Amino acid sequence: MELGFIGLGQMGSRMAIRLLDAGYSLTVFDRDEAAMAKLVARGARKATSAAAVAAASETVLMSLPTPDVVRAVVLGPDGVVESNRTTKLVDLSTTGPRMATSIATELDKAGRISLIDAPVSGGTNGAEKGTLAVMVSGNSEAVEALRPVLSVFGKIFVCGDRPGMGQTMKLANNMIAVAALAISSEAMAMGAKAGLDPQIMIETIMASSGGNVALRDKFPKAVLTGTFDFGFATGLSYKDVRLCVDEAEGMGVPMVVGAAVRQLMAVTNATFGADSDFTSVARVLEGWANVKIRAKPPKT
């Protein structure tokens, strides 16, 4: 199977490398020449545009940062839609169900390419190790044909038979994950302000009813250390929760807590910038509370 891959950022580069290591023939494109060079050094072929990737590939996979970028890469000038060879387009990005549905409709009009909606979750570590959750929706025959490819990235969860259903699943997941990070930041700031040892707080909460993935992974790695480098950008996290609230409201589902999380991520984005790590939400709380959430040095 001739595969193409567009978007070689933090997630995309790692997934593309896994495909190469699994023995797949791969043509790649990214606006970042250095990112492409790393893949070419591993055996990939370099393309000059999204259209060139599609011209060389039966199946094209994309891992891109925003819905607008996805739409441009697929339907814009030199886009995937210009190909007369590609039959399956796999979108691993987080775009929201409305964008996925819109792109699928446009591709249906062209009559050649089936969109497989397949956002992933599990971070850069999961992308590197092949332990991502792959939330797939689309034509069932196309999904089954691509199962060996998608299994390279991790565990497949078939969410539905039309594009957009995988996106809804991803937005729900990301909202829960960011909400856990936000509320944990508030609670940890309160405890630190009261004089509690943040490490003891985490150990206690993880053994209790408040345990969550933010305290299990994100705080020990990126907050207690003061590095704020877990590996996911604030701008992308803010985009995800904003998409989730907007989609829910469009369906007539109020998101009261979700709206508060969106606002807190908006503050984080404005304060530390879109390129900061999303664990910087804890930095916002540190500033407001005038306290540091840090591991205490061991007693000697």
Side-chain angles (χ1 to χ4, degrees), residues 18 130-132 134 146-156:
R18 287 198 61 81
T131 57
L132 295 171
V134 187
L146 289 170
R147 186 175 286 273
V149 174
L150 298 176
S151 294
V152 171
F153 305 140
K155 186 173 182 179
I156 296 173

Side-chain angles (χ1 to χ4, degrees), residues 98-112:
R98 280 182 285 188
M99 181 60 75
T101 301
S102 173
I103 292 174
T105 299
E106 293 299 317
L107 290 176
D108 285 344
K109 290 178 183 177
R112 299 184 306 274

Side-chain angles (χ1 to χ4, degrees), residues 70-101:
V70 170
R71 186 174 186 86
V73 165
V74 178
L75 302 174
D78 284 330
V80 173
V81 74
E82 295 184 5
S83 171
N84 58 8
R85 182 175 184 186
T86 298
T87 59
K88 300 179 186 68
L89 177 61
V90 181
D91 189 9
L92 303 159
S93 322
T94 304
T95 63
R98 280 182 285 188
M99 181 60 75
T101 301

Side-chain angles (χ1 to χ4, degrees), residues 22-253:
Y24 285 101
S25 176
L26 198 63
T27 301
V28 299
F29 175 70
D30 192 286
R31 290 185 298 178
D32 185 340
E33 291 285 342
M36 280 200 289
K38 292 178 182 178
L39 270 294
V40 170
R42 299 288 291 262
R45 293 183 299 276
K46 175 182 173 181
T48 57
S49 67
V53 171
S57 313
E58 302 168 32
T59 296
V60 174
L61 302 98
M62 306 182 300
S63 180
L64 298 166
T66 66
D68 289 343
V69 172
V70 170
R71 186 174 186 86
V73 165
V74 178
L75 302 174
D78 284 330
V80 173
V81 74
E82 295 184 5
S83 171
N84 58 8
R85 182 175 184 186
T86 298
T87 59
K88 300 179 186 68
L89 177 61
V90 181
D91 189 9
L92 303 159
S93 322
T94 304
T95 63
R98 280 182 285 188
M99 181 60 75
T101 301
S102 173
I103 292 174
T105 299
E106 293 299 317
L107 290 176
D108 285 344
K109 290 178 183 177
R112 299 184 306 274
I113 304 173
S114 294
L115 179 67
I116 306 301
D117 184 25
V120 298
S121 181
T124 54
N125 188 54
E128 188 169 326
K129 294 182 177 180
T131 57
L132 295 171
V134 187
M135 308 170 201
V136 186
S137 62
N139 176 274
S140 57
E141 291 184 7
V143 168
E144 288 306 311
L146 289 170
R147 186 175 286 273
V149 174
L150 298 176
S151 294
V152 171
F153 305 140
K155 186 173 182 179
I156 296 173
F157 297 89
V158 179
C159 301
D161 59 3
R162 66 181 188 275
M165 298 178 77
Q167 291 294 331
T168 301
M169 184 73 253
K170 176 67 185 297
L171 293 183
N173 173 81
N174 281 21
M175 175 57 82
I176 292 170
V178 180
L181 177 60
I183 195 64
S184 295
S185 296
E186 293 184 345
M188 293 295 292
M190 180 189 72
K193 187 80 171 184
L196 292 174
D197 183 331
Q199 183 61 49
I200 297 299
M201 284 188 71
I202 289 176
E203 292 174 6
T204 304
I205 295 169
M206 289 305 297
S208 307
S209 58
N212 62 68
V213 69
L215 293 177
R216 186 190 70 196
D217 298 331
K218 300 175 181 69
F219 269 79
K221 180 181 185 298
V223 179
L224 267 59
T225 59
T227 56
F228 299 98
D229 61 351
F230 190 76
F232 193 65
T234 295
L236 294 178
S237 183
Y238 175 42
K239 177 261 297 183
D240 289 351
V241 296
R242 189 175 68 244
L243 275 174
C244 186
V245 174
D246 289 348
E247 295 288 350
E249 290 179 348
M251 298 175 191
V253 179

